[in-house]
Amino acid sequence: MSELEAVPGYVEERVHVGETTLVVEPGELLDAARYLRDELGFNFLSDVTAVDYLGWGSAGVSGYIGTASGRDLNSPMTQGYQVVPLAKPKRFALNYHLLSISEEPRRLRLQAWLDEGEPVPSVIPVWPTADFHEREAFDLMGIAIEGHPNLRRILLDDDWEGHPLRKDYPLGGEPVRFSGEE
Amino acid sequence: MTAIAPRSLTSRRPIYEGTRIPSPIPTVLQTPPDIQATGDVLTVNFGPNHPSTHGVLRLIVDLYGEDVTGVEAVIGYLHTGFEKNMEAKTWWKCVTYPERIDYVSFQNNEYVFVAAVEKLLQLEIPPKATWMRTLLCELNRIHSHLVWLGTSALELGAISMFWYAFREREQILDLFELVTGYRMHTRYFQVGGLAEDIPRGFYPECRRFCDWMPRAIDDYETLLSRNKIWLERTGGLGLLSAEDAIALGQSGPVLRGSGVDWDLRKTQPYLAYHQVDFRVPVYHAGDVYSRYRVHMDEMRESVRIVEQCLDRLEHMDGEPWIADDRKVVLPPRHELHTSMESLIHHFKIVTEGFRVPEGEAYVAIESPRGELGCYVCSDGGPKPWRVKFRAPSFVALEAAATLMKDALIADMIAIVGSLDTVMGEVDR
Amino acid sequence: MALDKPLRAYGLKSERLLMPTKASAFEQEVADLEQKVGLTTLAKAVAWAQTNSMWPDTFGLACCAIEMMSIVGARYDIARFGMEPFRGSPRQADLLIVSGRVAHKMAAPLRQIYDQMLEPKWVIAMGACASSGGMFNNYAVVQSVDKIVPVDIYVPGCPPRPDQLMEGIIRLHEAVKAGVPPAYEIRSVAS
């Protein structure tokens, strides 16, 4: 969709498994959101997902990859070679899944890459539904949302320390004790 | 601050002019300062343990007499850490987790996760599995609406509805037990198809249920739909216009009760929905009664879809129920005695788990509550890198503040009930 | 109550059968114990009254709550045991059926509800999550409800069928009728 190139803050766009991902600069996210809603008709924000890529690519993936196409004998991904996934630009990715409720429904993933502590503007002025989603991204992942009217923890206790969904936060829990052992 | 709703999808005049979304915080209704100044505002906590809040929802409500002037929803009392836990399990073991997120429509949750993984794997699913999944998802829709109907009516005082709705619910759970071995949290969907073949004897039982169910829905409608008390308690309450609904990210019966003809089964079909004939109910009053009517009509349509699935499935005996790709799906056990490759594949899939190619995918389906989405990010390994569920109830609670404008305290129960929230998926 | 040790310590060996025959070993042993320990007729009458009208509190948290609702339904009718009024207020409830996973945020309200109940009170930990944390061995879920409240009966299952829950409830009734004290008298919370 070359119409996406007119979006403010455009960095790149990719298509994979039938889904289009549009990457924008985090500073211009609000303008991009307004443009997408008003000019391109993405009036529905489905979801805001934050992903932490700390440790991405530290483990190589070897062996057969589980797709029918992965059995190509000439491709380096098979026959036991180690493949390390390509590095990501920054640590966090904030994905906005957009939908246009219209006669021609389309989906789009709007993506912004952030470093630790880099702020991103809240898109509540464009899609009010982002309120709870952004609070969750802040609570569980520690994304700094600027301009959010009510940025508090939503799913965890108010005095919880840390952001559990980050990769450097342990899973927690207890070691399982078996009844036979002491 | 309003979003645009295309005229073609909403065909009547708006329910109210402008927007009723509170500001500055869209999800918190705040008492106006002049009422606050009277000193008569009572702040009441509808605590996490309350019989009428459908689970562990906490509402902090400001009351001025019987008028609700301020509402804030506090959630997180059921936060289970699903997403972090799923990052530690292999893809196959992960399928048990999504079921428990929305614990009333569990197979829809299983399906959305499995569909996202299958999208990354680009697997071809055999038709028998597709039709059976459609049938089970629709049975789950009826199950979910029955639980909603029983509990919502119970809270508004129509106590006998609970027993009638749960009578039919037991029949559906019997069907699930017949097919999958367990009543709830069936873990029947597998990446590639179904975990096991459909047992004999299921089709006549399901037919019997489909013959009975429309009469049961007639019973419920006789009790409620033109009942003066029900109409008084649900009519004209909790108004939500189409623009506000889209701006607030609502979907499912809340959106269709506000006049927007949007159902992912028709607009972005998945499974076998483009091959079955069904109607999408849309009501235009935007109040609690409209959402009730949407739920009831959806139950009838689901029965029709189940019958059409049965018509197809009865001719599919002997067909494969899971994909043939041995890199992802376990080989049949009899092959393990004769084929070395099958043994190796079985070993690798069970111990290390199959690998999903690198990438990210977002799949959205129409769960009984609305748009249920699953975002999956894989690094090419045997475990997910990130899984996120877009839960419709989480978003529905954002609309609670808008809906409670000008509500009385008794209306609050009806309004929260009509949002059909399940706290497991709100808190994940 | 007359006992201060579990029945096992008094010599009870057999388990209650799901469908006991008329003179099953369990019933016989309980009768012998009652004779030996000397439960008074008044204590037995009080225990009989308590078990036949033990009102649960609505503490449904997650999936197990749906199965707990189905035990109120017409098929697995809990009203035949006198337990169909699920009280909204813990002040009026005798039995707390913790059905579902307990998040850390919910631990404080759970303890508060338990404290607001009046003695004698019993707790059933329904399901795997309440009994041990279930499949959620992570930062968010309390690994077993007995870290917060003392538990009388643990019902396994994910979720337990309504009949499994009923088995747990009936075992609780049997234990109360046999004179076993509620859990807060014999145990404190786990560490």
Side-chain angles (χ1 to χ4, degrees), chain C residues 40-53:
Chain C
T40 63
T41 315
L42 181 61
K44 281 209 286 199
V46 168
W48 175 86
Q50 283 172 338
T51 53
N52 281 337
S53 157

mmCIF file with all atom_site columns, all heavy atoms in Angstrom, chain C residues 40-53:
data_model
loop_
_atom_site.group_PDB
_atom_site.id
_atom_site.type_symbol
_atom_site.label_atom_id
_atom_site.label_alt_id
_atom_site.label_comp_id
_atom_site.label_asym_id
_atom_site.label_entity_id
_atom_site.label_seq_id
_atom_site.pdbx_PDB_ins_code
_atom_site.Cartn_x
_atom_site.Cartn_y
_atom_site.Cartn_z
_atom_site.occupancy
_atom_site.B_iso_or_equiv
_atom_site.pdbx_formal_charge
_atom_site.auth_seq_id
_atom_site.auth_comp_id
_atom_site.auth_asym_id
_atom_site.auth_atom_id
_atom_site.pdbx_PDB_model_num
ATOM 1   N N   . THR C 1 40 ? -21.037 -36.165 72.548 1.00 0.00 ? 40 THR C N   1
ATOM 2   C CA  . THR C 1 40 ? -22.332 -36.136 73.215 1.00 0.00 ? 40 THR C CA  1
ATOM 3   C C   . THR C 1 40 ? -23.440 -36.027 72.187 1.00 0.00 ? 40 THR C C   1
ATOM 4   O O   . THR C 1 40 ? -23.230 -35.619 71.059 1.00 0.00 ? 40 THR C O   1
ATOM 5   C CB  . THR C 1 40 ? -22.424 -34.924 74.134 1.00 0.00 ? 40 THR C CB  1
ATOM 6   O OG1 . THR C 1 40 ? -22.328 -33.761 73.306 1.00 0.00 ? 40 THR C OG1 1
ATOM 7   C CG2 . THR C 1 40 ? -21.291 -34.934 75.120 1.00 0.00 ? 40 THR C CG2 1
ATOM 8   N N   . THR C 1 41 ? -24.620 -36.402 72.599 1.00 0.00 ? 41 THR C N   1
ATOM 9   C CA  . THR C 1 41 ? -25.763 -36.307 71.701 1.00 0.00 ? 41 THR C CA  1
ATOM 10  C C   . THR C 1 41 ? -25.994 -34.868 71.289 1.00 0.00 ? 41 THR C C   1
ATOM 11  O O   . THR C 1 41 ? -26.374 -34.590 70.160 1.00 0.00 ? 41 THR C O   1
ATOM 12  C CB  . THR C 1 41 ? -27.013 -36.849 72.405 1.00 0.00 ? 41 THR C CB  1
ATOM 13  O OG1 . THR C 1 41 ? -26.669 -38.055 73.039 1.00 0.00 ? 41 THR C OG1 1
ATOM 14  C CG2 . THR C 1 41 ? -28.128 -37.064 71.436 1.00 0.00 ? 41 THR C CG2 1
ATOM 15  N N   . LEU C 1 42 ? -25.769 -33.951 72.203 1.00 0.00 ? 42 LEU C N   1
ATOM 16  C CA  . LEU C 1 42 ? -25.993 -32.538 71.857 1.00 0.00 ? 42 LEU C CA  1
ATOM 17  C C   . LEU C 1 42 ? -25.004 -32.099 70.787 1.00 0.00 ? 42 LEU C C   1
ATOM 18  O O   . LEU C 1 42 ? -25.380 -31.449 69.819 1.00 0.00 ? 42 LEU C O   1
ATOM 19  C CB  . LEU C 1 42 ? -25.851 -31.671 73.107 1.00 0.00 ? 42 LEU C CB  1
ATOM 20  C CG  . LEU C 1 42 ? -26.091 -30.180 72.850 1.00 0.00 ? 42 LEU C CG  1
ATOM 21  C CD1 . LEU C 1 42 ? -27.505 -29.973 72.348 1.00 0.00 ? 42 LEU C CD1 1
ATOM 22  C CD2 . LEU C 1 42 ? -25.863 -29.390 74.131 1.00 0.00 ? 42 LEU C CD2 1
ATOM 23  N N   . ALA C 1 43 ? -23.730 -32.492 70.957 1.00 0.00 ? 43 ALA C N   1
ATOM 24  C CA  . ALA C 1 43 ? -22.732 -32.102 69.947 1.00 0.00 ? 43 ALA C CA  1
ATOM 25  C C   . ALA C 1 43 ? -23.095 -32.711 68.609 1.00 0.00 ? 43 ALA C C   1
ATOM 26  O O   . ALA C 1 43 ? -22.964 -32.084 67.565 1.00 0.00 ? 43 ALA C O   1
ATOM 27  C CB  . ALA C 1 43 ? -21.342 -32.543 70.379 1.00 0.00 ? 43 ALA C CB  1
ATOM 28  N N   . LYS C 1 44 ? -23.573 -33.964 68.653 1.00 0.00 ? 44 LYS C N   1
ATOM 29  C CA  . LYS C 1 44 ? -23.941 -34.593 67.381 1.00 0.00 ? 44 LYS C CA  1
ATOM 30  C C   . LYS C 1 44 ? -25.132 -33.882 66.762 1.00 0.00 ? 44 LYS C C   1
ATOM 31  O O   . LYS C 1 44 ? -25.216 -33.692 65.550 1.00 0.00 ? 44 LYS C O   1
ATOM 32  C CB  . LYS C 1 44 ? -24.285 -36.073 67.608 1.00 0.00 ? 44 LYS C CB  1
ATOM 33  C CG  . LYS C 1 44 ? -23.064 -36.931 67.741 1.00 0.00 ? 44 LYS C CG  1
ATOM 34  C CD  . LYS C 1 44 ? -23.286 -38.334 67.272 1.00 0.00 ? 44 LYS C CD  1
ATOM 35  C CE  . LYS C 1 44 ? -24.120 -39.109 68.249 1.00 0.00 ? 44 LYS C CE  1
ATOM 36  N NZ  . LYS C 1 44 ? -23.973 -40.560 68.049 1.00 0.00 ? 44 LYS C NZ  1
ATOM 37  N N   . ALA C 1 45 ? -26.063 -33.473 67.598 1.00 0.00 ? 45 ALA C N   1
ATOM 38  C CA  . ALA C 1 45 ? -27.229 -32.778 67.047 1.00 0.00 ? 45 ALA C CA  1
ATOM 39  C C   . ALA C 1 45 ? -26.819 -31.450 66.447 1.00 0.00 ? 45 ALA C C   1
ATOM 40  O O   . ALA C 1 45 ? -27.308 -31.058 65.379 1.00 0.00 ? 45 ALA C O   1
ATOM 41  C CB  . ALA C 1 45 ? -28.264 -32.576 68.145 1.00 0.00 ? 45 ALA C CB  1
ATOM 42  N N   . VAL C 1 46 ? -25.940 -30.760 67.132 1.00 0.00 ? 46 VAL C N   1
ATOM 43  C CA  . VAL C 1 46 ? -25.481 -29.464 66.600 1.00 0.00 ? 46 VAL C CA  1
ATOM 44  C C   . VAL C 1 46 ? -24.749 -29.688 65.284 1.00 0.00 ? 46 VAL C C   1
ATOM 45  O O   . VAL C 1 46 ? -24.964 -28.962 64.301 1.00 0.00 ? 46 VAL C O   1
ATOM 46  C CB  . VAL C 1 46 ? -24.573 -28.764 67.633 1.00 0.00 ? 46 VAL C CB  1
ATOM 47  C CG1 . VAL C 1 46 ? -23.854 -27.592 66.999 1.00 0.00 ? 46 VAL C CG1 1
ATOM 48  C CG2 . VAL C 1 46 ? -25.389 -28.288 68.808 1.00 0.00 ? 46 VAL C CG2 1
ATOM 49  N N   . ALA C 1 47 ? -23.911 -30.720 65.231 1.00 0.00 ? 47 ALA C N   1
ATOM 50  C CA  . ALA C 1 47 ? -23.170 -30.980 63.981 1.00 0.00 ? 47 ALA C CA  1
ATOM 51  C C   . ALA C 1 47 ? -24.145 -31.326 62.861 1.00 0.00 ? 47 ALA C C   1
ATOM 52  O O   . ALA C 1 47 ? -23.990 -30.878 61.719 1.00 0.00 ? 47 ALA C O   1
ATOM 53  C CB  . ALA C 1 47 ? -22.188 -32.129 64.186 1.00 0.00 ? 47 ALA C CB  1
ATOM 54  N N   . TRP C 1 48 ? -25.175 -32.110 63.191 1.00 0.00 ? 48 TRP C N   1
ATOM 55  C CA  . TRP C 1 48 ? -26.167 -32.458 62.174 1.00 0.00 ? 48 TRP C CA  1
ATOM 56  C C   . TRP C 1 48 ? -26.845 -31.207 61.648 1.00 0.00 ? 48 TRP C C   1
ATOM 57  O O   . TRP C 1 48 ? -27.041 -31.029 60.445 1.00 0.00 ? 48 TRP C O   1
ATOM 58  C CB  . TRP C 1 48 ? -27.171 -33.431 62.794 1.00 0.00 ? 48 TRP C CB  1
ATOM 59  C CG  . TRP C 1 48 ? -28.321 -33.789 61.915 1.00 0.00 ? 48 TRP C CG  1
ATOM 60  C CD1 . TRP C 1 48 ? -28.353 -34.769 60.980 1.00 0.00 ? 48 TRP C CD1 1
ATOM 61  C CD2 . TRP C 1 48 ? -29.602 -33.164 61.902 1.00 0.00 ? 48 TRP C CD2 1
ATOM 62  N NE1 . TRP C 1 48 ? -29.579 -34.807 60.383 1.00 0.00 ? 48 TRP C NE1 1
ATOM 63  C CE2 . TRP C 1 48 ? -30.372 -33.828 60.930 1.00 0.00 ? 48 TRP C CE2 1
ATOM 64  C CE3 . TRP C 1 48 ? -30.184 -32.112 62.626 1.00 0.00 ? 48 TRP C CE3 1
ATOM 65  C CZ2 . TRP C 1 48 ? -31.687 -33.478 60.660 1.00 0.00 ? 48 TRP C CZ2 1
ATOM 66  C CZ3 . TRP C 1 48 ? -31.505 -31.774 62.344 1.00 0.00 ? 48 TRP C CZ3 1
ATOM 67  C CH2 . TRP C 1 48 ? -32.233 -32.447 61.377 1.00 0.00 ? 48 TRP C CH2 1
ATOM 68  N N   . ALA C 1 49 ? -27.196 -30.315 62.528 1.00 0.00 ? 49 ALA C N   1
ATOM 69  C CA  . ALA C 1 49 ? -27.871 -29.084 62.093 1.00 0.00 ? 49 ALA C CA  1
ATOM 70  C C   . ALA C 1 49 ? -26.943 -28.228 61.257 1.00 0.00 ? 49 ALA C C   1
ATOM 71  O O   . ALA C 1 49 ? -27.355 -27.637 60.256 1.00 0.00 ? 49 ALA C O   1
ATOM 72  C CB  . ALA C 1 49 ? -28.340 -28.301 63.316 1.00 0.00 ? 49 ALA C CB  1
ATOM 73  N N   . GLN C 1 50 ? -25.669 -28.174 61.650 1.00 0.00 ? 50 GLN C N   1
ATOM 74  C CA  . GLN C 1 50 ? -24.749 -27.331 60.883 1.00 0.00 ? 50 GLN C CA  1
ATOM 75  C C   . GLN C 1 50 ? -24.548 -27.859 59.479 1.00 0.00 ? 50 GLN C C   1
ATOM 76  O O   . GLN C 1 50 ? -24.511 -27.100 58.526 1.00 0.00 ? 50 GLN C O   1
ATOM 77  C CB  . GLN C 1 50 ? -23.384 -27.273 61.586 1.00 0.00 ? 50 GLN C CB  1
ATOM 78  C CG  . GLN C 1 50 ? -23.387 -26.358 62.766 1.00 0.00 ? 50 GLN C CG  1
ATOM 79  C CD  . GLN C 1 50 ? -22.108 -26.460 63.560 1.00 0.00 ? 50 GLN C CD  1
ATOM 80  O OE1 . GLN C 1 50 ? -21.390 -27.449 63.488 1.00 0.00 ? 50 GLN C OE1 1
ATOM 81  N NE2 . GLN C 1 50 ? -21.822 -25.426 64.327 1.00 0.00 ? 50 GLN C NE2 1
ATOM 82  N N   . THR C 1 51 ? -24.419 -29.173 59.358 1.00 0.00 ? 51 THR C N   1
ATOM 83  C CA  . THR C 1 51 ? -24.137 -29.682 58.016 1.00 0.00 ? 51 THR C CA  1
ATOM 84  C C   . THR C 1 51 ? -25.351 -29.575 57.117 1.00 0.00 ? 51 THR C C   1
ATOM 85  O O   . THR C 1 51 ? -25.222 -29.382 55.915 1.00 0.00 ? 51 THR C O   1
ATOM 86  C CB  . THR C 1 51 ? -23.696 -31.145 58.039 1.00 0.00 ? 51 THR C CB  1
ATOM 87  O OG1 . THR C 1 51 ? -24.670 -31.873 58.755 1.00 0.00 ? 51 THR C OG1 1
ATOM 88  C CG2 . THR C 1 51 ? -22.371 -31.303 58.687 1.00 0.00 ? 51 THR C CG2 1
ATOM 89  N N   . ASN C 1 52 ? -26.526 -29.660 57.674 1.00 0.00 ? 52 ASN C N   1
ATOM 90  C CA  . ASN C 1 52 ? -27.677 -29.640 56.784 1.00 0.00 ? 52 ASN C CA  1
ATOM 91  C C   . ASN C 1 52 ? -28.103 -28.258 56.380 1.00 0.00 ? 52 ASN C C   1
ATOM 92  O O   . ASN C 1 52 ? -29.063 -28.091 55.645 1.00 0.00 ? 52 ASN C O   1
ATOM 93  C CB  . ASN C 1 52 ? -28.851 -30.373 57.451 1.00 0.00 ? 52 ASN C CB  1
ATOM 94  C CG  . ASN C 1 52 ? -28.672 -31.857 57.326 1.00 0.00 ? 52 ASN C CG  1
ATOM 95  O OD1 . ASN C 1 52 ? -27.966 -32.307 56.443 1.00 0.00 ? 52 ASN C OD1 1
ATOM 96  N ND2 . ASN C 1 52 ? -29.267 -32.607 58.214 1.00 0.00 ? 52 ASN C ND2 1
ATOM 97  N N   . SER C 1 53 ? -27.389 -27.244 56.839 1.00 0.00 ? 53 SER C N   1
ATOM 98  C CA  . SER C 1 53 ? -27.789 -25.906 56.442 1.00 0.00 ? 53 SER C CA  1
ATOM 99  C C   . SER C 1 53 ? -26.559 -25.018 56.365 1.00 0.00 ? 53 SER C C   1
ATOM 100 O O   . SER C 1 53 ? -26.558 -23.916 56.878 1.00 0.00 ? 53 SER C O   1
ATOM 101 C CB  . SER C 1 53 ? -28.799 -25.391 57.459 1.00 0.00 ? 53 SER C CB  1
ATOM 102 O OG  . SER C 1 53 ? -28.833 -24.018 57.454 1.00 0.00 ? 53 SER C OG  1
#
